[in-house]
Every structure is written in structure tokens, then in C-alpha cells.
Amino acid sequence: MDENIIGLSIVLPIYNDAAAVSRFLPELFTFTSRQKKTCEIILVDDGSTDHLTATYEQLKQQLPTNTALRLVQFSRNFGKEAALTAGLEQSQGELVIMMDADGQHPVSVLEQMLTLMHTSNVDVVAAVQTSREHEGLLIRTLKNGFYHFMQDTHRFELTPNAGDFRLMKRRVVQALLQLPERQRFMKGLYAWVGFSTVYIPFQASPRQMGKSKFNYLSLFELALIGITSFSQRPLRWISRMGMIISLLALVYGLYIVADTLFFGKDLAGWPTLAAGIMFSAGIQLVCLGVIGEYIGRIYEEVKQRPLYLVDKVWDSREQK
């Protein structure tokens, strides 16, 4: 076995999940020990404040002979999308797997993904979560509405419940790394680059320890990034809404003129005028807010700041 050639890279973004990682990685080590090629596991520490470094030192002692372990530490928290990108940039394998480190992505599915990759001759094998009963009705409804809104079958299609748990060939990873945007919505980027993809169902395992870092606010922010990065529908809706309101105002104005000239009715005016002004002002503020979101994304992009900053990289191969 040529140790200089990495056959499989596994990327795990981590944020304050040291306890879960200490339980999950030994199971992952068992999987990599069965592989015929050299493997590497890349832990991307997204600004954690727990004892992840100590956990890394302990886990390093349990490494199989064909597996390397690397810990990439950010200077602060930059977000999961940045951590995933950093993991892809650090990876060297011919095949790259991305999965969560909290144990909810079953290791048993990895064998299925590798088998399907080799037998189907595809570029991407993505896992689709079959059930999200652990989520509330409101969050499921909002997610379904978001995916329905984001669909663009003329160019690409976002598969609902297909997240970051996926296996990719090196050329797909290289394509993703060519995309320069700072405001990254990885689910949209996976769909945008295309390539032949097959989907396999899986049932998420119960979270081993801790709780999810995503709440309604963070999911809303991620949805805004996705919409402003991959859809111009809000801007088009603003234009259409403006035309509809203008047309209604014109029709109503003609009605008032006709009613006054032909029937001699006095126009009371004040309630209609007040309601019209408030409605118009509200619509304008909403439109300005939508346009402001797009301008804000442009502002972030043109500054060309790095997507993340690395504080330190720990590599088991260099420390032997």
C-alpha cells in the first residue's frame, strides 16, 4: 500500500462536540481499518471552546495503521459552511466523504455509499434522510416551503432532506472549490455543480451527546443566504407587486373620478387616504428590505475577506 496516496478522506465539521467525537470516532476507525487504501479523517474545529484538542490527542493513540487524523482549528467560529469548505480544501483523497461528528450520520451507511459509487460509476452518492420526526411540525413545514421555493428545474434541483452527508469523487471536490463566493450555501453549491448523482435513504441515529447548534434564527439566516445566492425570485416579485399595486391604484383613481363626476358624491377621503399611505409605505419598506438583503450579500462578496482563518493544524502523520 502506497501511504503517499490517500484513497479516502472523511471531513467532519465540529463545534463544541468533543464528547460526541470521542464516542463516534472509534466507530469510524473500525470502518477505515477495513479499507484497502490509506484513509484520512479531517476534524475541522469551528472555534470550539471545549476540550477538543485533548480529545484529539487521546484519539490519535487509537488510530489504525492505514488511517491519519488531522485537526484544523479556526481562529474563531466561522460557521458550518466555512468548516465544510476548509475540510474540502484540506482533503487529499481520491474520494471524499462529508458527515456530521455527532453520530447522527450512521457509519454503516458508508459501506453502502462506497459500494454504490463503484458499481454505479457515478460522481456523487448523497444520503437522504427518510424521516425527520424528531423535528417539530413548524420547522418541517418551513423547510418544505423553502425547498419548494428554491426549486429551479431548468438549471438545477435541490433534493429535500439531502444534506452534507455525501461521498464525492475528487473532480467534484475540485469543482466545488472553484466557486469563490463567501456567502456559501453548500446544499445549493452541490446542486449547482451538477455531476451524476445517486441518492440513498438513511435513518438518522439519535444524537449521542449534546444538542443541535441550529435554532430558528440560524436556520432563517441560512435560508436567507440560500435564497439570495441562488434565486432572483424575490426581486422579480417586487417588480410584479409594484406593477399590480400601481394598476390597482390607477383603477381606483378612475373609479373615484367617475363616481364624483357622474354621481356627484363627495369624497370623504381621510380613511381611504390614511390606509392607502400606510399600506404603500409598508410595501415600500418590505421591498427596500429585500433589495437590502441582496445589496448586503454583494457588500460581503466585494470585500474579498477570507472565508475562514486557521489558527493551527494538528496532523498525526507529522507528530509520529
Side-chain angles (χ1 to χ4, degrees):
M1 182 185 301
D2 188 349
E3 294 185 357
N4 295 321
I5 299 178
I6 306 296
L8 179 65
S9 298
I10 304 177
V11 175
L12 295 89
I14 301 170
Y15 180 61
N16 289 337
D17 271 327
V21 169
S22 64
R23 296 183 58 181
F24 176 66
L25 250 63
E27 185 179 356
L28 198 57
F29 291 162
T30 303
F31 164 77
T32 59
S33 66
R34 298 195 299 264
Q35 305 306 308
K36 296 180 180 180
K37 294 184 178 181
T38 302
C39 303
E40 65 173 1
I41 299 174
I42 302 171
L43 310 177
V44 184
D45 179 9
D46 187 21
S48 299
T49 56
D50 56 6
H51 52 282
L52 184 59
T53 303
T55 301
Y56 162 80
E57 292 292 345
Q58 296 173 0
L59 292 169
K60 189 177 64 173
Q61 310 304 320
Q62 307 174 32
L63 280 173
T65 55
N66 70 329
T67 304
L69 183 63
R70 193 183 313 166
L71 173 62
V72 180
Q73 292 183 309
F74 284 175
S75 61
R76 64 168 177 84
N77 178 257
F78 286 91
K80 185 179 180 181
E81 312 296 293
L84 290 171
T85 303
L88 294 179
E89 291 179 339
Q90 290 281 335
S91 67
Q92 302 173 15
E94 299 169 351
L95 299 175
V96 178
I97 291 174
M98 295 193 301
M99 61 191 306
D100 290 346
D102 56 13
Q104 290 193 291
H105 291 166
V107 175
S108 58
V109 179
L110 299 182
E111 294 284 3
Q112 302 176 37
M113 298 172 86
L114 287 172
T115 300
L116 192 56
M117 172 72 76
H118 295 309
T119 57
S120 302
N121 193 28
V122 295
D123 298 302
V124 181
V125 179
V128 179
Q129 193 165 336
T130 55
S131 175
R132 307 189 73 95
E133 295 301 325
H134 61 284
E135 295 179 345
L137 177 61
L138 176 59
I139 191 66
R140 294 202 305 270
T141 302
L142 292 175
K143 284 186 175 181
N144 290 335
F146 169 77
Y147 280 113
H148 179 74
F149 176 84
M150 288 292 294
Q151 296 306 338
D152 188 348
T153 54
H154 297 294
R155 297 187 299 158
F156 59 87
E157 183 176 358
L158 268 68
T159 302
N161 299 323
D164 302 311
F165 190 20
R166 57 187 61 218
L167 168 66
M168 301 177 291
K169 288 183 177 179
R170 170 54 51 181
R171 66 178 188 146
V172 180
V173 174
Q174 291 173 339
L176 287 170
L177 295 179
Q178 290 178 23
L179 305 179
E181 55 253 53
R182 271 65 180 167
Q183 299 290 315
R184 299 181 76 81
F185 178 64
M186 294 301 295
K187 294 179 180 63
L189 298 183
Y190 302 143
W192 190 91
V193 298
F195 294 101
S196 56
T197 304
V198 294
Y199 298 91
I200 62 173
F202 84 99
Q203 179 64 48
S205 303
R207 188 179 179 90
Q208 294 184 354
M209 302 186 73
K211 59 181 181 179
S212 175
K213 309 303 185 298
F214 283 96
N215 52 34
Y216 283 102
L217 180 59
S218 58
L219 290 173
F220 178 73
E221 289 290 336
L222 184 61
L224 275 182
I225 292 176
I227 292 172
T228 54
S229 298
F230 288 92
S231 178
Q232 297 180 14
R233 287 181 181 176
L235 295 176
R236 296 191 185 111
W237 286 1
I238 286 176
S239 300
R240 294 168 184 171
M241 184 168 55
M243 288 187 290
I244 292 173
I245 292 176
S246 298
L247 180 61
L248 291 175
L250 177 61
V251 171
Y252 184 60
L254 293 176
Y255 164 77
I256 292 175
V257 171
D259 198 37
T260 303
L261 291 177
F262 294 106
F263 299 100
K265 292 183 178 180
D266 295 330
L267 182 63
W270 169 244
T272 303
L273 181 62
I277 291 175
M278 288 189 292
F279 176 74
S280 177
I283 292 296
Q284 290 177 35
L285 290 175
V286 170
C287 294
L288 286 174
V290 172
I291 295 172
E293 284 292 333
Y294 280 89
I295 294 176
R297 304 304 172 195
I298 297 172
Y299 174 67
E300 290 295 329
E301 294 294 333
V302 299
K303 286 188 291 188
Q304 295 290 296
R305 289 177 180 169
L307 184 61
Y308 59 88
L309 294 175
V310 174
D311 181 25
K312 190 172 183 179
V313 177
W314 305 73
D315 196 326
S316 63
R317 289 168 293 191
E318 297 176 358
Q319 298 169 344
K320 288 182 179 179

